[in-house]
Amino acid sequence: MTDTQPRTLDEALPRIRAVLQAAAKGSAERDLTHEHPYELVQQLADAGFGRLRITQEYGGFDVDLPTLFALLAEAGQADSNLPQIWRGHFTTTEILRRETDAEVRRHWSKAIAAGIVFGNAQSEPAALVRGADDPSGWGALTTHIRRDSDGRRVVSGTKFYSTGARFADYIRTAALDEDGNRVFAVLSANHTGVAHIDDWDGVGQRQTGSGTTIFEEVPVEPHGDIGRDVSALRGLDSFVQIVHLANLAGIARSIVAETVDIVRARTRTGQHALTQDAASDPEVLAVVGTLYARRLTAETLLRHAAENLELAHHSGRETDYAEAYVETSAAQLGVIDAVLDAATIAFNAGGSSTVRTRVHLDRHWRNARTLASHNPIIYKPRVIGDYLVNDSRPVSGYYRDRPKARSDEESAL
């Protein structure tokens, strides 16, 4: 642990929240200028943010999932780019909590406790994998691990949606190993064979670094085979979605807070208003009240999903992981509807002036819409209905192309 790292959670939380408070002040301007929050990510790492889920055995704070997601919602309220940047990092810490290789678990847990940050590089450009063999249905991979002339295991390939990679010390990437198995491998984000291309052109979440990453003969790090056993991946399908739900809940908070400020600052309303005082206009106040209800919906569903996944981890039963995924999917439906609606109707409280660029209110809809497009929502009602009507248990995509997940009977042995 470096001297800059807090030693306890009680020491870390004020420092984390101080960074988030500073992040909130410049979030709208960064959205306009496309300024990446490198310094903020490092400050959060120095404040112990990355250690939240590392177990105490290795120097972490070992917070439970509801606590983690509550803090990610706070980060989302400050700047919605931040939880998404950290999503790959916290997915890695989840894997490490159940990693079966003791040395791999110890090595990377201690490194994270000392302040290192992980990034993400899983998906590949559609143009690159079009027509490629994909027996799993989980997305084809062309990134491979091979032995070079010196016998080192090296990775070459191209990734897109590389969220957080350009801010990271290490990257957890997906690749095909020497036997053609889908695996995770840890690479140095700063190796000369890694190129971070700033080509993410989404309408929202513009400062997440979610563009292209190119690997050219990048060595796999010592202890870099992470999550080889499927038991280390249990619950990840729910976890990665709940990170987005936390972020959306944070956006909802920000929408409410900023709309309240807009209403208080208004000097007039409209021709048909009952009063020219916006702060006492019943229709305007009703908009704010509706926004608060949407925020409460998002926060309540976030907490529900987090608690269900926490319970699944405590039981360790595959049936509970499947149920947690169903509950997370249902929460996804409700949160997305609530937050996108809030991001739209907030403009009704401020009138035409709220569409001006300098007000920055539009960024909330753009960011929420971008987050809502992850893990496509159109499939989730069918998954939920199939589970309820036919008892068809969803199977985690993380289990595909890997050793078969243990049954509940085997888990109990």
Side-chain angles (χ1 to χ4, degrees):
M1 189 182 305
T2 63
D3 292 338
T4 62
Q5 287 282 325
R7 299 193 177 277
T8 67
L9 182 61
D10 287 341
E11 289 179 15
L13 288 177
R15 289 178 56 178
I16 290 170
R17 288 182 170 127
V19 176
L20 296 179
Q21 185 176 19
K25 294 178 181 177
S27 62
E29 189 64 25
R30 286 191 297 274
D31 180 72
L32 289 176
T33 62
H34 197 66
E35 177 190 348
H36 288 306
Y38 294 106
E39 186 176 353
L40 290 169
V41 173
Q42 186 58 58
Q43 288 173 350
L44 283 171
D46 291 342
F49 192 61
R51 297 163 55 194
L52 288 171
R53 284 283 284 171
I54 294 296
T55 58
Q56 292 180 352
E57 173 187 6
Y58 301 114
F61 301 132
D62 200 18
V63 303
D64 62 15
L65 287 175
T67 300
L68 173 70
F69 290 125
L71 287 168
L72 286 172
E74 290 186 38
Q77 180 177 2
D79 183 339
S80 65
N81 292 281
L82 292 174
Q84 194 172 356
I85 287 170
W86 282 88
R87 181 171 176 252
H89 176 93
F90 285 117
T91 304
T92 301
T93 63
E94 287 303 297
I95 294 171
L96 289 171
R97 287 177 67 91
R98 280 162 284 281
E99 173 61 57
T100 57
D101 186 315
E103 187 57 27
V104 169
R105 184 174 65 251
R106 184 200 66 80
H107 176 82
W108 293 114
S109 295
K110 283 186 170 292
I112 291 171
I116 72 158
V117 177
F118 266 88
N120 173 69
Q122 310 296 316
S123 302
E124 302 194 356
L128 193 64
V129 299
R130 187 176 292 117
D133 184 38
D134 181 22
S136 71
W138 189 232
L141 286 178
T142 62
T143 301
H144 281 78
I145 300 173
R146 68 171 188 85
R147 296 279 179 181
D148 68 7
S149 58
D150 296 323
R152 299 180 308 169
R153 299 172 68 235
V154 295
V155 174
S156 295
T158 300
K159 300 292 185 178
F160 196 62
Y161 303 116
S162 309
T163 305
R166 67 186 307 112
F167 305 94
D169 301 296
Y170 294 93
I171 298 170
R172 177 178 50 83
T173 192
L176 298 177
D177 68 10
E178 298 90 332
D179 298 319
N181 298 313
R182 178 186 292 268
V183 297
F184 292 136
V186 177
L187 313 176
S188 170
N190 300 308
H191 188 272
T192 55
V194 179
H196 303 283
I197 314 300
D198 192 11
D199 59 351
W200 169 240
D201 57 355
V203 298
Q205 297 298 99
R206 292 172 171 175
Q207 284 74 57
T208 57
S210 297
T212 301
T213 302
I214 300 172
F215 303 123
E216 187 172 338
E217 304 286 281
V218 182
V220 177
E221 288 291 306
H223 312 295
D225 294 308
I226 185 173
R228 284 287 182 131
D229 191 295
V230 73
S231 61
L233 312 179
R234 303 175 92 196
L236 283 189
D237 51 345
S238 296
F239 180 87
V240 294
Q241 182 58 61
I242 302 175
V243 174
H244 289 322
L245 300 187
N247 206 356
L248 286 163
I251 290 174
R253 292 178 183 175
S254 193
I255 291 170
V256 173
E258 290 183 24
T259 304
V260 167
D261 288 341
I262 287 169
V263 170
R264 287 173 174 168
R266 285 189 69 179
T267 57
R268 60 181 180 176
T269 54
Q271 176 183 350
H272 302 293
L274 297 178
T275 173
Q276 285 301 303
D277 176 18
S280 60
D281 185 319
E283 279 76 32
V284 171
L285 294 177
V287 171
V288 176
T290 301
L291 294 180
Y292 184 79
R294 301 293 183 267
R295 167 189 159 171
L296 187 60
T297 296
E299 291 175 332
T300 302
L301 289 172
L302 167 64
R303 185 167 57 251
H304 176 76
E307 289 172 352
N308 270 272
L309 183 54
E310 181 77 9
L311 289 173
H313 282 320
H314 282 302
S315 77
R317 292 190 294 265
E318 284 297 329
T319 52
D320 289 343
Y321 283 114
E323 184 172 337
Y325 183 76
V326 170
E327 296 297 318
T328 297
S329 298
Q332 182 185 2
L333 294 171
V335 170
I336 287 174
D337 282 351
V339 180
L340 285 178
D341 184 59
T344 298
I345 66 173
F347 290 91
N348 294 338
S352 58
S353 61
T354 56
V355 302
R356 301 187 69 176
T357 302
R358 70 184 186 190
V359 180
H360 307 302
L361 198 61
D362 65 301
R363 78 186 191 281
H364 296 308
W365 185 90
R366 291 187 287 102
N367 291 335
R369 179 63 267 176
T370 301
L371 290 167
S373 297
H374 287 71
N375 311 322
I377 194 173
I378 63 169
Y379 305 112
K380 298 305 177 70
R382 174 182 55 78
V383 170
I384 297 166
D386 198 20
Y387 176 79
L388 295 175
V389 174
N390 301 311
D391 199 27
S392 179
R393 192 174 79 189
V395 178
S396 172
Y398 286 95
Y399 292 169
R400 297 176 183 176
D401 287 352
R402 295 177 182 273
K404 184 179 179 181
R406 295 176 299 171
S407 67
D408 289 340
E409 291 77 13
E410 291 170 326
S411 298
L413 295 178

